[in-house]
Amino acid sequence: MTKRSIYVAYTGGTIGMQKTDNGFVPVAGFLTQCVQSMPEFYHEEMPTFVIHEYCPLIDSSNMAPTDWQMIADDIQANYDKYDGFVILHGTDTMAYTASALSFMLQGLSKPVIVTGSQIPLAQLRSDGQTNLLNSLYIAANYPVAEVCLFFNNKLFRGNRSTKAHADGFDAFASPNFPLLLEAGIKINLRAGKITVANDTPLEVAHISPQPVGVVTLYPGISTQIFENILQQPVKALILLTFGVGNAPQDAALLKTLRQADERGIVLVNLTQCFQGKVNMGGYATGNALAKAGVISGADMTIEAALAKLHYLLSKNLQPAEIKTAMLQNLVGELSID
């Protein structure tokens, strides 16, 4: 039986860093050398794989939409040659990249798993070995044909994931959607569905950098902050509101938001809460936002909402069309009642 073949794209991040006198730094070729020195990656039950290291390597804090495009284009260029894809990435913005790729990779019939580590692969007690080993094994043997994020024995839907712990091994969570798969003593499928690869061609949507604002509400926040943020060239604003989507019933604030909506700026309401969804009809304060033109982001993560706005704004749609699409579940990013 022919072994499955997996393409590994090392974009950068902690997993491939080398220890120096000035701290851990990315070094070209170092990750590949580490993997080649570890026999477990070449166990007979493992798939074959190739590692492509990006040059230059990208610290995930420096990731931008142009890098999302580069990764998506790389997958497309190699799509017909491999059975699955593993993207090695820094943890800080991993959920943003996974979310963006879920909108960009259209017609996906092969697994794309984004992973990384909190401790470099070359270091004692690294979680990188387990994360990469499992990602390769799952991509070959449990091909869930969507963009996923694997960390600490859990496979998440990429656009439902968020970084939940700054320095712990259990760094990611999926607050509003169940796990796709869990790797314990046995590998247990949860919400994920195994898919057989087909001949459907992969299409890659193009995303360009978009001026999207994000503001976290707090008691006493000034309307002037919104006025300043909502100036040109901003095309969309994510409001991180209280509870189920509430904001101060301040006449000046609501007027500012309404004027922004009339200028074609897309206003999206997300809750600051870790879990749950926006319901602007529940309280008068939320209903006032809706009347000002603010739309619900439902239970999307901020990562998914931001990526979705970039995707839609890059399509040159009218604001009304973007609003409609934001309320729809395009690729599993939000729950519909």
Side-chain angles (χ1 to χ4, degrees):
M1 184 177 176
T2 305
K3 282 191 173 188
R4 295 283 179 92
S5 182
I6 308 299
Y7 180 84
V8 180
Y10 174 43
T11 68
T14 297
I15 191 168
M17 288 188 176
Q18 186 175 18
K19 192 174 185 179
T20 71
D21 293 339
N22 295 318
F24 290 104
V25 296
V27 176
F30 185 66
L31 175 106
T32 301
Q33 292 173 13
C34 287
V35 172
Q36 290 174 344
S37 70
M38 296 177 174
E40 47 270 56
F41 283 103
Y42 301 93
H43 189 280
E44 61 180 12
E45 295 181 29
M46 290 292 287
T48 60
F49 60 91
V50 299
I51 299 176
H52 170 61
E53 294 196 11
Y54 283 22
C55 183
L57 295 170
I58 310 162
D59 186 292
S60 72
S61 297
N62 294 326
M63 276 282 172
T66 50
D67 299 306
W68 300 340
Q69 191 69 55
M70 179 173 61
I71 296 168
D73 291 343
D74 188 20
I75 291 171
Q76 185 179 42
N78 290 281
Y79 194 69
D80 295 333
K81 304 173 193 173
Y82 298 94
D83 300 300
F85 300 83
V86 172
I87 311 300
L88 297 179
H89 194 289
T91 60
D92 285 351
T93 61
M94 186 183 291
Y96 287 96
T97 296
S99 295
L101 291 176
S102 75
F103 293 103
M104 300 173 77
L105 302 176
Q106 302 179 355
L108 194 61
S109 65
K110 299 177 182 181
V112 174
I113 301 177
V114 187
T115 192
S117 70
Q118 295 283 59
I119 299 176
L121 185 62
Q123 297 300 302
L124 185 67
R125 299 181 56 251
S126 172
D127 55 329
Q129 186 182 70
T130 299
N131 288 341
L132 179 53
L133 268 172
N134 276 289
S135 294
L136 288 166
Y137 187 83
I138 290 166
N141 297 288
Y142 297 83
V144 177
E146 58 179 282
V147 179
C148 311
L149 188 155
F150 185 87
F151 223 86
N152 197 39
N153 296 316
K154 301 180 183 75
L155 187 72
F156 306 100
R157 174 168 289 171
N159 58 33
R160 293 292 194 138
S161 63
T162 188
K163 191 170 184 184
H165 201 302
D167 54 10
F169 286 148
D170 202 16
F172 288 87
S174 178
N176 291 309
F177 194 78
L179 296 177
L180 297 178
L181 177 152
E182 193 165 15
I185 294 175
K186 293 182 179 180
I187 293 179
N188 296 307
L189 205 62
R190 303 297 187 199
K193 295 180 180 178
I194 303 298
T195 306
V196 177
N198 54 50
D199 295 328
T200 303
L202 177 73
E203 294 185 12
V204 173
H206 289 273
I207 283 184
S208 55
Q210 299 293 329
V212 178
V214 180
V215 61
T216 301
L217 272 66
Y218 55 84
I221 189 169
S222 170
T223 301
Q224 284 184 311
I225 291 175
F226 289 91
E227 292 172 348
N228 291 333
I229 291 175
L230 288 166
Q231 293 178 19
Q232 287 292 330
V234 169
K235 294 181 181 178
L237 177 67
I238 296 172
L239 294 86
L240 298 176
T241 58
F242 308 124
V244 293
N246 299 314
Q249 267 194 302
D250 180 271
L253 171 59
L254 294 172
K255 180 182 178 182
T256 297
L257 294 175
R258 186 165 53 253
Q259 290 174 341
D261 175 64
E262 291 168 353
R263 295 198 305 272
I265 298 175
V266 179
L267 307 171
V268 182
N269 188 351
L270 294 182
T271 174
Q272 295 177 20
C273 299
F274 185 69
Q275 198 165 13
K277 68 189 301 182
V278 166
N279 174 17
M280 290 192 289
Y283 295 89
T285 48
N287 190 45
L289 289 179
K291 288 181 178 178
V294 181
I295 61 170
S296 170
D299 60 353
M300 280 189 287
T301 63
I302 184 173
E303 295 93 337
L306 191 80
K308 189 173 182 178
L309 282 168
H310 272 81
Y311 164 66
L312 294 171
L313 288 165
S314 297
K315 292 164 67 74
N316 294 317
L317 301 172
Q318 293 299 311
E321 294 175 299
I322 294 175
K323 281 186 171 186
T324 298
M326 285 298 292
L327 296 168
Q328 296 171 342
N329 180 28
L330 302 182
V331 287
E333 75 280 5
L334 61 79
S335 304
I336 300 291
D337 291 332

